[in-house]
Amino acid sequence: MAKSSLSVLLFFILGTLSFVLSTAVADLTSPYLSPTTIFPNYQKMLDTFKIFICSPRNTKKPISYNTPAESLFHASLVNSPFVTQNPNEAHLFFVLFPSDFSTRSIARFVRDLRMELPYWNRTLGADHFYMSCAGIGYESDRNLVELKKNSIQISCFPTPYGKFIPHKDITLPPLNPLPHSLPQAPVNKTATFLGYFRSYGDRGESLSSLVNELSGDPEFVIGSNASDQLTHKVRLASSKFCLFFYAVDVSGIGDALRFGCVPVVITEGPIQDLPFLDVIRWSEIAVFVGAGGGAKQLKHRMRGLGMKASQHWVWNESPQPYDAFHTVLCQLWSRRHAIRYARRE
């Protein structure tokens, strides 16, 4: 009887382990956090998502932004079928203001939304979003406090320190300067590591010493961003790993993913503002290490899912399926069930 019970127990354990291992293997074939739900949710977003745009009054000049990614997102949204003229059918509300709006003007704009429309007060702005790469500072004005604390902020990656709230905010991926295509002929991975550092500046002795160490390693190719796009593409495609300093310049991560070069991000702490953080499993497509580990720590790992995820980093003048514009909207769509704060009397 004891042997029979033990056999049953062992069979159960082995069956459970087999299921867990098979699930883990299946998950490793996808760069997504939820590979079984992302595509149905994406299709539902295309079919039903509606956004109402709240524009400031008495502003005749066109809306302008400081970065190409902001401008392209705005242009793509206003010309898309996601925009509705009926606020009652909207899932989210876009608080639209230009980059050069002062904090006083933004506060006045939110005050007008509160007084003239019923939607802000329903949630204290939790179902509203705005776009600002500079971010909203810590202000005492009630309108600015609720905007920063409750509304979804779309900013640029990386965001200024203290201007990003991880549970609600979103970052735009940089506008990729390179065409989304590989060199025609297959490129052998001749260089193990490629480091493109524009300037690491005064980032401390640890970063400086790491760059010096990498420069003396034959497996590393260290240089500035190539001005010739073809040369840049070939270097990316021929390297196994591409190194980035998070505090200096990470604009080329999307290019690295597209050309099969695994991003190795050197950071002095956790990164909470990665683009598409609630869509993509970053631990499977990039490596994050500290500057103090030296060159040896950078050589231990490689993933092959980056190219699958790279389509989400691509910006198009005319939005295409699963590109950067649609993936940002997918994150907004997932936030439509935002916390509904009680109205404060």
Side-chain angles (χ1 to χ4, degrees):
M1 185 71 177
K3 290 184 178 179
S4 176
S5 300
L6 180 60
S7 298
V8 171
L9 179 61
L10 288 174
F11 179 80
F12 174 77
I13 293 174
L14 289 174
T16 303
L17 287 174
S18 176
F19 173 77
V20 171
L21 289 174
S22 63
T23 303
V25 171
D27 286 345
L28 291 178
T29 63
S30 171
Y32 302 109
L33 288 172
S34 302
T36 60
T37 61
I38 182 173
F39 298 108
N41 285 341
Y42 179 87
Q43 187 59 49
K44 187 175 181 180
M45 177 198 74
L46 294 180
D47 295 338
T48 61
F49 194 20
K50 294 299 178 184
I51 296 171
F52 181 79
I53 298 178
C54 306
S55 302
R57 297 181 305 171
N58 304 322
T59 302
K60 297 181 179 179
K61 64 179 183 178
I63 299 292
S64 62
Y65 296 99
N66 293 332
T67 68
E70 288 175 288
S71 299
L72 193 51
F73 176 83
H74 172 256
S76 299
L77 179 61
V78 297
N79 294 308
S80 75
F82 298 107
V83 174
T84 179
Q85 302 303 317
N86 180 6
N88 291 317
E89 68 176 13
H91 297 94
L92 292 179
F93 298 82
F94 183 17
V95 183
L96 178 63
F97 54 83
S99 295
D100 60 357
F101 241 33
S102 66
T103 54
R104 178 176 296 181
S105 297
I106 296 173
R108 188 181 302 116
F109 181 23
V110 174
R111 181 202 62 193
D112 291 342
L113 291 179
R114 182 196 311 281
M115 296 176 61
E116 297 175 6
L117 296 173
Y119 310 106
W120 182 277
N121 288 326
R122 294 186 311 185
T123 66
L124 298 184
D127 55 357
H128 290 57
F129 69 94
Y130 64 97
M131 187 159 55
S132 172
C133 286
I136 302 296
Y138 291 94
E139 306 287 343
S140 59
D141 185 283
R142 171 188 173 182
N143 302 290
L144 293 175
V145 169
E146 291 182 0
L147 182 68
K148 178 180 177 62
K149 179 182 176 181
N150 301 341
S151 300
I152 303 165
Q153 174 185 271
I154 299 179
S155 56
C156 299
F157 175 70
T159 56
Y161 179 76
K163 299 294 182 68
F164 186 85
I165 301 177
H167 78 272
K168 68 177 185 66
D169 292 344
I170 296 171
T171 54
L172 300 172
L175 186 61
N176 290 320
L178 298 180
H180 190 64
S181 62
L182 288 167
Q184 293 183 354
V187 178
N188 295 325
K189 297 288 185 180
T190 56
T192 304
F193 295 89
L194 171 66
Y196 275 129
F197 308 130
R198 290 180 181 173
S199 172
Y200 54 87
D202 184 18
R203 303 304 304 179
E205 293 183 1
S206 59
L207 298 184
S208 177
S209 61
L210 178 58
V211 171
N212 292 333
E213 183 182 358
L214 299 181
S215 299
D217 191 311
E219 290 189 289
F220 286 81
V221 177
I222 305 295
S224 60
N225 284 303
S227 57
D228 177 45
Q229 288 192 355
L230 180 60
T231 300
H232 192 183
K233 288 164 55 177
V234 171
R235 287 182 177 178
L236 289 171
S238 62
S239 301
K240 294 179 182 178
F241 295 89
C242 289
L243 311 182
F244 300 92
F245 282 144
Y246 171 72
V248 179
D249 183 16
V250 288
S251 61
I253 288 182
D255 291 332
L257 290 172
R258 286 189 290 151
F259 291 99
C261 189
V262 178
V264 177
V265 184
I266 302 168
T267 174
E268 297 175 350
I271 301 178
Q272 298 182 318
D273 61 341
L274 286 165
F276 317 135
L277 195 57
D278 52 355
V279 175
I280 294 175
R281 186 186 303 169
W282 274 97
S283 61
E284 300 300 330
I285 65 173
V287 181
F288 302 90
V289 297
K296 291 183 179 179
Q297 187 180 2
L298 300 181
K299 297 182 179 181
H300 81 292
R301 190 173 170 192
M302 182 175 179
R303 296 294 190 209
L305 299 178
M307 295 180 69
K308 290 185 179 180
S310 66
Q311 61 180 326
H312 304 295
W313 286 71
V314 179
W315 288 97
N316 297 292
E317 292 291 340
S318 177
Q320 301 297 317
Y322 303 106
D323 65 359
F325 169 71
H326 282 100
T327 310
V328 171
L329 282 185
C330 199
Q331 289 189 283
L332 287 172
W333 169 248
S334 69
R335 286 159 170 75
R336 69 192 184 280
H337 299 306
I339 298 172
R340 300 303 174 100
Y341 297 94
R343 180 174 180 176
R344 182 171 59 187
E345 300 296 342

